Amino acid sequence: MATDSVKHVPTLSGAAISTEMKSFFTAVKPTKTIITFVYASFITFVAFTVYLAFTPSLITFVYSVSSYILPNVTAVTSPSNFTTNTTSRAPAPRGSLTPATLKSSAANETNILSIKNASLSRTEHASVHLCPNNNTDKQAPLSVNSSASPMRKQSRTKREIKSLKNCEFFEGEWVKDDSYPLYKPGTCTIIDQQFNCMANGRPDVEFYKLKWKPKECTLPRLDGGKLLEMIRGRRLVFVGDSLNRNMWESLVCILKGSVKDERQVFEAHGRHHFRGEAEYSFVFKEYNCTVEFFASPFLVREWEAKDKNGTKKETLRLDMMGKSSEQYIGADVLVFNTGSWWTHDKTSKGEDYYQEGSNVYPILDVDEAFTKALTTWGRWVDKYVNPNKSLVFFSGYSPSHFSGGQWNAGGACDDETEPIKNETYLRPYPTKMEILESVLRGMKTPVTYLNITRLTDYRKDAHPSVYRKQKYTVIERRSPLLYQDCSHWCLPGVPDSWNEILYAEMLVKLDQLRGNRRQKPKLV
């Protein structure tokens, strides 16, 4: 186009003005001044056009100005190759708590998944970890949305986040919403049989049409695509017991249903059943990220010690983190939990079970042991988690609803089809969660407490109960009520709401960090 323009531009030097043009000026002397002005304007316009055709830097400047005015909606056109880059970069964080920074979305498009092998605790399976790059100075900060979006959508997101900042998420009620659940029952193939109540024959459906509604705000519906953008190129890790596995499977189902091609979502080791192994890792290839689970029901290490006769016995090392802890050092978002296993007979009695160093306590109160274990966990977090690079959450205790006995003594919940509506029937706040709060207050690393205990206690209707499996053993068929699950949760179901709260918390935390001045990583 520039070449064609040059062909039709007359030569503008004074020596080349034609004789005809001079005669014209002589014939129209009365209007010489006006014509001269018009002709000069024409010459100036043509000269500027020629200059512009051969000076692309001016076009770049114009686009640079527009990108400065609209920094979050950038579309820079390069005159040299006319390609479009629609990736926007979130402002650098400003606060003291900057979450993990990793490579920008543009860079991730050309990166192959970073795979490293690590041995599992008690096993030797390979572990796939994406982007645990320690060179964090070159990585882009976590952002609410790393891709360009319309101004209207950004404005709506800002209003949404503003309403959440002063909201108490854990005070509210369960309300019916026919647009729920977040994924259609039967569509998520990764749900463990233990949680797949509909496939196991549960006939009622009202329990998964309830959503949690805080008193002072409305939780945003979990947008799987937006959350995947938030964790693009990063590791989101759940660590804890089977209730955290319940929550992990829920989140994987939500995210998996939001991708364009579900074939690009797979378990790193090719596993299709999610009980019995020490760790699992779902890869979202399009987003170059993983959502992982590490089984660590106590968070501290299960151990063996010898008694006076040399016989080995199981103990719990209250002064050591679980073996898998080495594998999630450097994760960008960590969600911990523990609690359920501390109610079992062995832990409750505390006889010849709890150990520190070489000392096995003949007897130790379970609450004191729990305090020691959480203190060990807190010290590990303070030592190995960089608060400028990672977000840490701790999910509270999830109450069970056995009626008439425990799980192995005839406890049941199969006739429950509605949540508790009278608060007087809710259980007292667990002592162990008070211990947790005390430990969190003594830590230097900020940890967000997902206090789901009370809101979950309402939901006596949402357990698998007898719908925990399709095929029962002969003994189970003789006495099916003896083997109910009133501890875990059907999926879709209650854990989806836990993840909506996690999502809302992340929106708030990351919004507080956006625009904050990026800090140099501290040595840990």
Side-chain angles (χ1 to χ4, degrees), residues 128-129 235-238 248 280-282 290-294:
V128 179
H129 292 163
R235 297 176 62 197
L236 193 163
V237 175
F238 290 83
W248 167 73
Y280 304 95
S281 176
F282 263 90
T290 56
V291 181
E292 308 169 40
F293 171 72
F294 289 88

Side-chain angles (χ1 to χ4, degrees), residues 51-183:
Y51 175 75
L52 187 62
F54 290 97
T55 315
S57 60
L58 185 60
I59 299 176
T60 305
F61 171 75
V62 173
Y63 279 101
S64 299
V65 172
S66 65
S67 66
Y68 177 78
I69 296 173
L70 301 174
N72 291 326
V73 186
T74 307
V76 179
T77 303
S78 171
S80 59
N81 56 19
F82 294 95
T83 59
T84 303
N85 178 6
T86 58
T87 302
S88 65
R89 179 171 295 179
R94 259 193 306 202
S96 59
L97 182 100
T98 306
T101 58
L102 287 157
K103 296 179 181 178
S104 65
S105 301
N108 283 332
E109 293 176 1
T110 60
N111 285 346
I112 299 175
L113 300 181
S114 173
I115 301 176
K116 75 173 184 178
N117 294 328
S119 59
L120 299 173
S121 59
R122 302 176 183 259
T123 63
E124 293 184 1
H125 295 285
S127 173
V128 179
H129 292 163
L130 302 190
C131 301
N133 193 341
N134 293 324
N135 189 12
T136 51
D137 277 338
K138 298 181 180 179
Q139 297 166 344
L142 268 168
S143 61
V144 172
N145 192 345
S146 62
S147 62
S149 60
M151 294 295 291
R152 182 180 298 176
K153 185 175 182 180
Q154 287 191 352
S155 178
R156 183 171 64 250
T157 300
K158 288 181 179 180
R159 290 196 302 271
E160 183 179 75
I161 293 173
K162 185 177 180 180
S163 72
L164 298 175
K165 285 185 177 180
N166 297 318
C167 182
E168 173 51 66
F169 295 141
F170 310 104
E171 292 291 334
E173 61 180 339
W174 290 94
V175 298
K176 186 176 180 179
D177 189 328
D178 287 328
S179 69
Y180 278 66
L182 296 171
Y183 47 99

Side-chain angles (χ1 to χ4, degrees), residues 182-183 188 190 222-232 236 238 247-262 264-265 282-284 286-287 289-292 496 499 502-503 506:
L182 296 171
Y183 47 99
C188 186
I190 71 105
L222 202 164
D223 186 328
K226 183 182 289 186
L227 182 53
L228 282 168
E229 284 293 352
M230 290 162 66
I231 63 171
R232 181 184 286 274
L236 193 163
F238 290 83
M247 186 177 179
W248 167 73
E249 286 190 19
S250 161
L251 186 60
V252 172
C253 283
I254 295 169
L255 298 180
K256 188 170 181 283
S258 67
V259 300
K260 296 178 181 177
D261 184 0
E262 291 194 11
Q264 300 299 308
V265 181
F282 263 90
V283 178
F284 291 79
E286 179 184 352
Y287 294 88
C289 68
T290 56
V291 181
E292 308 169 40
D496 303 334
N499 281 312
L502 172 65
Y503 174 64
M506 288 182 65

Side-chain angles (χ1 to χ4, degrees), residues 225-380:
K226 183 182 289 186
L227 182 53
L228 282 168
E229 284 293 352
M230 290 162 66
I231 63 171
R232 181 184 286 274
R234 300 170 171 91
R235 297 176 62 197
L236 193 163
V237 175
F238 290 83
V239 183
D241 58 29
S242 54
L243 276 308
N244 235 22
R245 178 166 60 88
N246 221 173
M247 186 177 179
W248 167 73
E249 286 190 19
S250 161
L251 186 60
V252 172
C253 283
I254 295 169
L255 298 180
K256 188 170 181 283
S258 67
V259 300
K260 296 178 181 177
D261 184 0
E262 291 194 11
R263 293 173 299 179
Q264 300 299 308
V265 181
F266 52 89
E267 205 283 321
H269 309 86
R271 295 168 180 156
H272 299 283
H273 302 285
F274 306 105
R275 296 180 65 183
E277 298 292 344
E279 63 101 4
Y280 304 95
S281 176
F282 263 90
V283 178
F284 291 79
K285 191 174 181 181
E286 179 184 352
Y287 294 88
N288 194 28
C289 68
T290 56
V291 181
E292 308 169 40
F293 171 72
F294 289 88
S296 185
F298 298 105
L299 296 183
V300 290
R301 189 168 302 191
E302 296 174 72
W303 198 255
E304 284 185 344
K306 293 182 179 180
D307 60 19
K308 296 179 180 179
N309 299 322
T311 304
K312 290 184 178 180
K313 59 181 179 181
E314 292 183 351
T315 60
L316 188 65
R317 287 292 298 269
L318 302 175
D319 56 345
M320 296 178 65
M321 279 290 283
K323 287 184 178 180
S324 61
S325 60
E326 295 180 358
Q327 294 177 251
Y328 49 80
I329 291 177
D332 308 291
V333 182
L334 287 157
V335 184
F336 294 95
N337 95 312
T338 189
S340 178
W341 284 45
W342 294 88
T343 64
H344 294 182
D345 287 344
K346 184 178 291 187
T347 49
S348 296
K349 291 179 180 178
E351 297 177 355
D352 293 321
Y353 182 59
Y354 296 120
Q355 180 177 353
E356 285 187 294
S358 60
N359 176 49
V360 178
Y361 291 94
I363 189 167
L364 184 66
D365 179 75
V366 63
D367 286 344
E368 185 175 351
F370 187 74
T371 303
K372 289 177 178 291
L374 282 185
T375 300
T376 297
W377 166 81
R379 288 171 178 167
W380 182 92

